[in-house]
Amino acid sequence: VIGANASRLTDIVRLAPHVQEGQVVGFRVNPGRDRAAFEALGLQPGDVVTDINGTVLDDPSQGLQVFESLGESTQANVTVLREGVPQVIVIDTTQLQTLQENRQ
């Protein structure tokens, strides 16, 4: 089940490196095909995720790996820039499981 969550991540969220002053400072997120799951995670379109569980997302090559690690835990502390203001949100990945079960 956990692996399925990680592989479904690309259906849920689309990532694009967010650059400020020539440096990657995080990843701008927008909903993928599964908008309900995106919203269940507490993300908003255009949020820039800068940190997941203390891992700073300043390397474009590791962004997807860190996001995939979300599928391996049930909860994550995520720092986002929302309209330029840093906020910490707690993502509960069990929400994805609940959504999945409700659809079957």
Side-chain angles (χ1 to χ4, degrees), residues 9 13-20 23-31 38 43-52 55-68 70 78-83 87 89 91:
L9 200 62
V13 66
R14 289 199 317 268
L15 304 176
H18 183 69
V19 178
Q20 283 181 334
Q23 285 287 101
V24 173
V25 294
F27 287 83
R28 182 172 300 281
V29 295
N30 281 296
F38 180 86
L43 295 168
Q44 292 182 6
D47 280 352
V48 176
V49 178
T50 58
D51 176 296
I52 297 177
T55 302
V56 178
L57 301 181
D58 57 1
D59 179 353
S61 66
Q62 73 178 164
L64 195 57
Q65 289 172 321
V66 176
F67 272 88
E68 284 174 346
L70 285 176
V78 177
T79 305
V80 298
L81 291 175
R82 187 167 286 167
E83 294 169 15
Q87 298 185 24
I89 58 175
I91 288 182

Side-chain angles (χ1 to χ4, degrees), residues 78-98:
V78 177
T79 305
V80 298
L81 291 175
R82 187 167 286 167
E83 294 169 15
V85 179
Q87 298 185 24
V88 175
I89 58 175
V90 177
I91 288 182
D92 179 359
T93 58
T94 60
Q95 298 288 335
L96 299 179
Q97 186 60 34
T98 306

